[in-house]
Amino acid sequence: MSAISVGQAAILGVVEGVTEFLPVSSTGHLKITEGLMNIPVDDQSVVGFSAVIQVGAIAAVLVYFFKDIKRIISAWGRGLVNKEERYHHDYKFAWWVIAATVPIVLVGLAAKPLIDGALGSLWVVGGSLIVGSGVMWAADQMGRHKRGEDDTSFKDAMLVGCSQILALLFPGFSRSGATMSTALILDLDRVAATRLSFFLGIPALTGAGIYELKDALGAGVGAAPLAVGTIVSFVVAYASIAWLLKFVAKHSFNAFVIYRIVIGLALFGLLATGTINA
């Protein structure tokens, strides 16, 4: 028997697609949903499943931003063979994304036992949701929103990239929330902060999905649930990306801040009453 059924995989795919790029913590929402469906959140195959279906959401980013990604990769390729092309912002940006991914890879490999163990508790998720809300609210208030995507620098990319570690160590903090908050503190506008978060997430999340695939398949999740979860995640994430970019162009992050606090408190209530297991 698969640790996750096809029906459960579809539900988790919807949750992943909706929450992966919204600053509300996809990991936290997946763990909460798994807990409500009595799926063991600390099971290695379940942890692997959650990472693998993220690839569906990443595929949605690749499709949605295909023209931008093609332009950046083309500039990077030209710069490798032509010195004059290395002054182009897109060439430098490609290297920045690569460099900014290294810290989360190193921490992820070194701290994997802790991440899969004690830090995976739903108590940690609830606390991280609430604490992350405060960080996001403060960042939105502090940021002057005066810099666009073309104004980003190597320093910006590295600081935003390193902030992903917060979400890695404290599921519930939210990778999107951490990266967007850091970008806002650096005075990027909301759209630029959101797009930078998308681009920096591509290598980190893709790598995590590929790395965890063996655990998901080898430890109890069937190929069918994995396929369904990934496909559903892709479709829903594509719609979520389009909505988020339109939303942040005209609104602050306050709605997400309030939502995170409500979910965090609700999670504490479910845990305290024994409705779900930590």
Side-chain angles (χ1 to χ4, degrees):
M1 288 290 291
S2 172
I4 297 175
S5 70
V6 171
Q8 290 172 328
I11 294 172
L12 292 172
V14 171
V15 173
E16 165 63 24
V18 170
T19 61
E20 180 59 57
F21 300 110
L22 301 186
V24 297
S25 176
S26 63
T27 301
H29 279 73
L30 284 172
K31 285 183 176 293
I32 292 170
T33 306
E34 289 162 0
L36 291 172
M37 293 192 294
N38 293 317
I39 298 172
V41 298
D42 58 348
D43 187 301
Q44 276 303 108
S45 65
V46 175
V47 174
F49 173 86
S50 299
V52 171
I53 64 172
Q54 288 178 337
V55 176
I58 289 300
V61 173
L62 296 176
V63 173
Y64 192 91
F65 292 107
F66 178 76
K67 290 183 179 179
D68 295 300
I69 294 170
K70 180 181 178 181
R71 186 190 73 243
I72 293 169
I73 292 176
S74 296
W76 183 67
R78 292 194 303 271
L80 291 177
V81 297
N82 187 337
K83 186 176 181 179
E84 293 181 359
E85 293 287 340
R86 296 172 190 172
Y87 295 99
H88 197 286
H89 184 269
D90 286 339
Y91 170 79
K92 292 185 285 187
F93 184 76
W95 277 116
W96 297 346
V97 170
I98 294 171
T101 303
V102 173
I104 192 173
V105 171
L106 295 177
V107 173
L109 292 174
K112 191 176 188 304
L114 191 59
I115 295 167
D116 292 344
L119 291 178
S121 167
L122 289 178
W123 287 106
V124 175
V125 171
S128 299
L129 277 166
I130 295 172
V131 172
S133 299
V135 173
M136 185 180 299
W137 179 83
D140 208 10
Q141 299 302 310
M142 291 168 55
R144 289 178 286 179
H145 315 292
K146 66 177 184 178
R147 300 170 57 208
E149 189 173 345
D150 290 338
D151 298 318
T152 55
S153 65
F154 174 69
K155 176 184 176 182
D156 296 328
M158 289 302 298
L159 289 174
V160 174
C162 286
S163 70
Q164 296 179 109
I165 295 172
L166 281 172
L168 182 67
L169 296 178
F170 304 103
F173 201 96
S174 169
R175 190 201 64 82
S176 295
T179 52
M180 290 177 191
S181 296
T182 303
L184 290 173
I185 292 172
L186 295 170
D187 292 331
L188 269 68
D189 63 49
R190 295 187 183 98
V191 173
T194 303
R195 284 173 60 88
L196 182 58
S197 175
F198 285 146
F199 290 129
L200 286 173
I202 292 173
L205 296 178
T206 301
I210 294 172
Y211 181 81
E212 296 284 1
L213 180 60
K214 64 182 187 303
D215 289 333
L217 285 173
V221 176
L226 273 174
V228 169
T230 303
I231 292 170
V232 172
S233 171
F234 167 80
V235 174
V236 176
Y238 189 92
S240 179
I241 292 167
W243 177 83
L244 180 60
L245 287 171
K246 291 179 181 179
F247 181 85
V248 298
K250 298 179 180 179
H251 301 86
S252 72
F253 287 111
N254 288 344
F256 297 118
V257 170
I258 295 171
Y259 173 80
R260 289 170 58 107
I261 293 173
V262 170
I263 292 296
L265 292 175
L267 178 55
F268 281 149
L270 291 170
L271 290 168
T273 57
T275 305
I276 59 176
N277 193 304

